[in-house]
Amino acid sequence: MPITKVGLEMPYRQGLFMEATPRGHPWKQAYSSPRTTDYGKMHSLFGSLMAVAAAAFFTYLCYHILRWLFLQWQVIRAAAPECLEALRAAREKIYRFSRYGILPSHVVSDPTREELKRIQKLLRKQLILLENLEKNRKIEASSPAPAPSVRDLLECADGLHYLHNSLRELPGYSERVEEGFEIVWHKLETVLSLTGLALLRQRHVPFDPKYHQAVENRAPGSRDLQVIQVLVPGVLQDGRLMRPAKVVLDVPKQPCANNGGKSL
């Protein structure tokens, strides 16, 4: 049976196209024509042109990207000295602020500047107090150790001071008991003076960082501070501070004598 157009369409519609098509696919030969061949050539030419256009576009894009990077490198190279100078100035400002607490006037407002000044003053006071404490510690470490008998006297003085403070807090504490304690203190301080020692146990005296170590401050914002309680008495040896007195501070409730808190 010769292969015709009708003969090709019928098996295709019936799903028997592979069986109806002889070996070598003569249906392609039957349907091949000069028009079909020209269409294939045009398709191949169009694909080649598209490949050439894509390559040209990619080359153009790479050229502009490289040119833009080169221009940016030139700009960065030209601005590098100015950037380094700005970085040095910023580092200097940061160093001045961290070391001295100095900020330009346009950075902070007036309330913030006042708050910074107040914090700086407070930090300076704390720094002075820490320096005095370090001095006292060095003096205490470098001072010669007292004799065993003197050490026993100091332990006795500490125990008596603790007892005195404890009895002061009782409701039945009277002036006669206070007078009795003062007599005992006078005799003990007389014995200590023979060895060159003196106690710092006075209350209601101005706070002196040289002789006092503040354990508690009940008026942090006040400048005029007074010793209202002595927790541990201080010790002087031949006029040199051997141990500062540990005290509690508050605002003065009555005028106090300016005797430096020393009891000789």
Side-chain angles (χ1 to χ4, degrees):
M1 173 180 167
I3 298 175
T4 61
K5 185 177 180 181
V6 177
L8 286 173
E9 290 178 356
M10 292 301 293
Y12 177 76
R13 292 177 182 177
Q14 295 175 5
L16 303 175
F17 180 77
M18 297 301 296
E19 297 179 1
T21 304
R23 188 175 181 180
H25 303 283
W27 65 275
K28 292 185 179 180
Q29 300 176 4
Y31 280 93
S32 63
S33 62
R35 184 177 180 182
T36 307
T37 305
D38 294 341
Y39 178 76
K41 291 180 179 180
M42 291 178 63
H43 186 270
S44 300
L45 181 61
F46 180 75
S48 300
L49 291 175
M50 289 295 293
V52 172
F57 176 75
F58 180 75
T59 305
Y60 176 79
L61 184 62
C62 290
Y63 166 75
H64 278 280
I65 291 175
L66 292 175
R67 185 172 178 272
W68 181 81
L69 291 175
F70 179 75
L71 292 176
Q72 293 298 322
W73 179 75
Q74 291 288 343
V75 171
I76 293 173
R77 184 179 178 184
E82 298 180 359
C83 294
L84 290 176
E85 189 64 28
L87 286 175
R88 290 193 192 97
R91 186 177 62 181
E92 181 66 22
K93 290 179 181 178
I94 293 172
Y95 171 76
R96 291 178 60 192
F97 175 67
S98 61
R99 181 65 178 85
Y100 305 105
I102 301 174
L103 282 177
S105 58
H106 64 277
V107 176
V108 293
S109 58
D110 292 337
T112 309
R113 192 180 297 107
E114 294 297 330
E115 184 68 17
L116 286 174
K117 289 181 180 178
R118 188 182 67 81
I119 294 174
Q120 289 172 7
K121 291 181 180 178
L122 182 61
L123 289 176
R124 289 194 192 99
K125 291 180 181 178
Q126 296 296 330
L127 182 60
I128 293 172
L129 180 61
L130 289 175
E131 289 177 353
N132 291 333
L133 291 177
E134 184 66 18
K135 279 183 190 176
N136 296 336
R137 189 189 65 81
K138 291 181 179 179
I139 292 173
E140 184 177 354
S142 62
S143 60
S149 59
V150 175
R151 185 181 294 110
D152 295 337
L153 288 175
L154 291 178
E155 291 178 359
C156 179
D158 292 339
L160 181 62
H161 183 79
Y162 180 78
L163 177 64
H164 196 182
N165 283 343
S166 301
L167 292 178
R168 277 198 184 109
E169 298 175 359
L170 297 178
Y173 188 77
S174 62
E175 294 182 0
R176 296 185 62 182
V177 178
E178 180 68 21
E179 291 175 0
F181 268 106
E182 288 300 326
I183 294 173
V184 176
W185 276 118
H186 178 70
K187 292 187 176 294
L188 181 59
E189 288 173 352
T190 302
V191 175
L192 290 174
S193 64
L194 298 176
T195 60
L197 296 177
L199 296 179
L200 303 174
R201 61 179 188 86
Q202 292 291 336
R203 298 185 304 158
H204 306 295
V205 295
F207 171 69
D208 189 355
K210 183 178 179 181
Y211 299 103
H212 298 142
Q213 178 181 353
V215 177
E216 181 182 357
N217 187 0
R218 297 179 182 176
S222 178
R223 296 183 179 179
D224 187 14
L225 296 174
Q226 180 182 2
V227 177
I228 62 170
Q229 185 180 1
V230 180
L231 301 179
V232 178
V235 179
L236 291 173
Q237 184 177 20
D238 297 329
R240 295 184 305 170
L241 183 66
M242 190 174 69
R243 185 182 69 185
K246 298 181 179 180
V247 298
V248 178
L249 305 179
D250 200 349
V251 293
K253 297 182 175 57
Q254 60 184 3
C256 56
N258 191 7
N259 55 6
K262 294 182 285 186
S263 175
L264 302 178

